[in-house]
Amino acid sequence: MPIKEKSKPAKRDRVTIRTVAAHAGVSVAAVSKVMRNAYGVSENLRAKVTGSIEELGYRPSRTARGLRGRTFTIGLLLVDIRNPFLPEVIDGVNGVLAPSHYQAMIGVGEGRMQLETSLIESMIDYKMDGLILVAPRLPTEIIAEFAAQVPIVAVGYHDPKAKTFDTVNTDDQRGAEIAVEALLKCGYRDIEMLSLGAREGHKVSVVRQREIGYRRAMLCAGLSSSAPISHIPVHSPKREEAMRVFLARSDRPRAVFCWSDLDAITLLSAAADMGVRVPEDLAVVGYDNSTTAALSLVNLASIDQSGRELGEAATRTLLSRIEGRSDPEHLLLMPSLVNRKSLIRSG
């Protein structure tokens, strides 16, 4: 008996946006509105279109979208993937994008201007609809040049005078003031700030803004003449060595405000190795309220700037730019202190 050949499955016709519209019983324009999460889309319409997309297995062509002016992709440029604060920002971005059919493509600039520039140019070449830059090192005029080509929102970049791109920040000056005020309230007067190397960052960066806030709080407390800032190298092993030198100083302060949890946690680790008790010998306040800071073995008091909220606000701001808004927006979110054992005095 001859063996029957298996019949080949019928070739499935390519599903297009028109196929989705016909299946859902709505217009092509309505499908487009749902896909870009446009303002005013009803839940009923969204459910119809989303249901048809899932049932038909519709996957829009990014090439075709780019030719029409939309690719529904967002470029997310991070300064350093090792910072435990950044996953919160990414979660915030993805949370807003999830119902909009946009997707975020991540690049890591590693704090190097040349690499940042190259990544931004690549994102523009791939016709991404907008970019979110987290703590970019680029000067305003260069970001403005890129913003003439694609909508941009900068996070961790304090330039309220920027006209062609938007900024979303925590009030970093106020955050540093809150940290100093908390230490003063606990009775500490000998307070030092642990900051990045003097050549790192620029006047619009978060680290410099936090230095301004620290100095202002110390001035208000009548301690302006004793408001020292220790600058720590960025890279290992010099970074860890500098912290050990700081801890071993005969004139070591009783309290320290660290510009970020990244350095505060490293400092706590070095202190434990060297027998420096926290907070009995040294009170420590960090900045970011990262998930690591909350671990029971770390227990770091920290300024909460809600990374998720920053990511959400930046994404909503970017989407409104993409939809045609031209007036610049500069959002400033309020930080708060999360008190933990590195600050609280026993007894």
Side-chain angles (χ1 to χ4, degrees):
M1 185 175 177
I3 298 173
K4 241 183 179 181
E5 286 188 11
K6 287 184 179 179
S7 57
K8 292 182 181 179
K11 186 178 179 181
R12 186 176 180 179
D13 292 334
R14 189 171 73 86
V15 178
T16 68
I17 192 170
R18 294 184 182 278
T19 315
V20 174
H23 187 274
V26 299
S27 67
V28 171
V31 176
S32 178
K33 281 185 177 181
V34 171
M35 291 184 63
R36 67 175 189 271
N37 201 26
Y39 177 78
V41 174
S42 69
E43 288 305 314
N44 183 47
L45 175 59
R46 188 185 305 281
K48 275 185 181 180
V49 172
T50 303
S52 293
I53 287 173
E54 290 175 355
E55 189 174 337
L56 296 170
Y58 174 54
R59 294 189 63 190
S61 165
R62 297 204 181 276
T63 304
R65 281 176 163 183
L67 292 172
R68 291 195 303 268
R70 285 282 176 92
T71 62
F72 290 91
T73 54
I74 299 297
L76 179 57
L77 182 62
L78 306 177
V79 63
D80 183 355
I81 200 65
R82 293 167 295 183
N83 192 322
F85 167 71
L86 292 176
E88 292 289 317
V89 178
I90 296 170
D91 284 348
V93 172
N94 287 333
V96 173
L97 292 183
S100 70
H101 297 283
Y102 276 92
Q103 290 184 328
M105 303 295 179
I106 297 175
V108 182
E110 298 177 2
R112 292 188 286 145
M113 286 179 58
Q114 187 174 356
L115 180 56
E116 282 185 3
T117 301
S118 175
L119 286 169
I120 291 172
E121 288 172 344
S122 295
M123 289 173 175
I124 292 173
D125 289 344
Y126 278 105
K127 299 188 180 297
M128 293 187 179
D129 296 327
L131 309 180
I132 296 174
L133 313 181
V134 181
R137 296 294 181 92
L138 301 174
T140 293
E141 55 269 23
I142 293 180
I143 296 178
E145 287 177 10
F146 286 129
Q149 304 173 62
V150 63
I152 288 178
V153 175
V155 178
Y157 195 89
H158 290 265
D159 188 359
K161 294 182 180 179
K163 290 182 170 37
T164 58
F165 62 93
D166 305 310
T167 62
V168 175
N169 295 289
T170 299
D171 190 337
D172 286 290
Q173 291 187 25
R174 181 59 193 141
E177 288 176 337
I178 291 170
V180 174
E181 289 165 4
L183 289 164
L184 291 167
K185 189 176 179 180
C186 286
Y188 301 106
R189 305 280 290 175
D190 184 10
I191 304 167
E192 193 161 327
M193 180 177 178
L194 204 63
S195 188
L196 277 183
R199 292 185 179 181
E200 299 296 328
H202 38 76
K203 64 180 180 181
V204 297
S205 67
V206 297
V207 63
R208 300 301 165 230
Q209 293 294 305
R210 292 169 193 174
E211 287 178 358
I212 292 170
Y214 161 75
R215 288 194 179 100
R216 187 162 60 220
M218 294 292 279
L219 176 63
C220 289
L223 301 170
S224 59
S225 60
S226 57
I229 296 178
S230 289
H231 292 102
I232 301 295
V234 175
H235 304 294
S236 297
K238 290 183 178 179
R239 177 168 167 261
E240 290 78 11
E241 288 172 6
M243 289 189 186
R244 289 181 176 275
V245 169
F246 169 83
L247 290 168
R249 275 171 35 190
S250 59
D251 64 342
R252 185 186 68 222
R254 277 290 292 111
V256 61
F257 162 52
C258 293
W259 82 277
S260 79
D261 286 358
L262 196 62
D263 278 350
I265 291 166
T266 304
L267 183 69
L268 291 180
S269 177
D273 285 346
M274 296 173 66
V276 177
R277 299 170 302 164
V278 176
E280 291 84 359
D281 301 325
L282 179 69
V284 182
V285 178
Y287 204 113
D288 287 339
N289 192 34
S290 61
T291 52
T292 309
L295 295 174
S296 59
L297 288 176
V298 178
N299 236 315
L300 172 68
S302 186
I303 300 299
D304 184 10
Q305 60 170 337
S306 184
R308 186 179 185 88
E309 190 178 349
L310 278 172
E312 290 171 348
T315 308
R316 286 192 294 266
T317 302
L318 182 62
L319 291 177
S320 70
R321 265 279 188 186
I322 292 170
E323 291 299 324
R325 175 180 53 81
S326 57
D327 294 335
E329 287 189 356
H330 300 289
L331 305 182
L332 206 57
L333 309 182
M334 286 298 109
S336 60
L337 172 73
V338 178
N339 205 343
R340 297 192 181 95
K341 286 184 180 178
S342 71
L343 170 61
I344 302 170
R345 273 179 160 172
S346 58

